[in-house]
Structure formats: structure tokens, C-alpha cells
Amino acid sequence: ALHPNYAGKHEKSHGPKMNGGIVIKTNQNQRYATNGVTGFFARELARKEPKVPIQEFVVRSDCPCGSTIGPILSASTGIRTVDLGMPQ
């Protein structure tokens, strides 16, 4: 479930799997809204409902990734956010 035009930007064995569950996206350069606290909350919520599988997706720190609106809104409002997605 990696973008075919950018396959070289990702680790082949660490891509999210189709129909494998919700993906929590993180980036060490904080280009996504997920941080340690919000990622933990999302994992704990999913753990309490065993029918909700969770996948982790970490973008390599040497590759720029899309700075989503999540970090911008989180910083300006103070609302804790997590970047989630579904592989497609």
C-alpha cells in the first residue's frame, strides 16, 4: 500500500498492508500530527476493541513527507491530534 511513484522512499518491509487495519502515521521530524501521547491514546483505544487492528507507518526521517493540516490545527488550537489513515 505504498505510493508506486515513491516506492524508493519507503522501506519495503514496513509498508502498511491493505485491509490490515487503521494506520497510525508518525514522522520523527513531526511532519504529521501524531506524537508520543496521541499515538499512545490511539493504540490504547484500539487495544480495548480487539476488532480494530492497528498498523504503524513511520516515514524515513531523511525523506520529506506531506505536512498535513493536522500539525497546523493542533498547534493553533491546542487540540491533541493523531494522523490516522486507511491503506488504499
Side-chain angles (χ1 to χ4, degrees), residues 53-85:
I54 290 287
Q55 300 182 70
E56 301 282 340
F57 181 65
V58 179
V59 176
R60 289 181 10 198
S61 62
D62 65 334
C63 296
C65 59
S67 180
T68 62
I69 195 167
I72 297 166
L73 290 175
S74 181
S76 65
T77 63
I79 297 172
R80 291 180 175 166
T81 57
V82 60
D83 261 313
L84 298 174

Side-chain angles (χ1 to χ4, degrees), residues 11-85:
E11 301 294 335
K12 292 180 183 178
S13 60
H14 295 286
K17 306 290 187 247
M18 297 289 286
N19 301 316
I22 297 170
V23 177
I24 298 175
K25 301 187 309 182
T26 57
N27 176 260
Q28 296 305 313
N29 298 325
Q30 296 182 333
R31 303 276 298 193
Y32 291 127
T34 307
N35 61 32
V37 174
T38 60
F40 171 77
F41 286 150
R43 284 184 214 89
E44 284 299 297
L45 288 171
R47 186 179 63 81
K48 292 180 181 200
E49 179 57 54
K51 295 177 184 154
V52 180
I54 290 287
Q55 300 182 70
E56 301 282 340
F57 181 65
V58 179
V59 176
R60 289 181 10 198
S61 62
D62 65 334
C63 296
C65 59
S67 180
T68 62
I69 195 167
I72 297 166
L73 290 175
S74 181
S76 65
T77 63
I79 297 172
R80 291 180 175 166
T81 57
V82 60
D83 261 313
L84 298 174

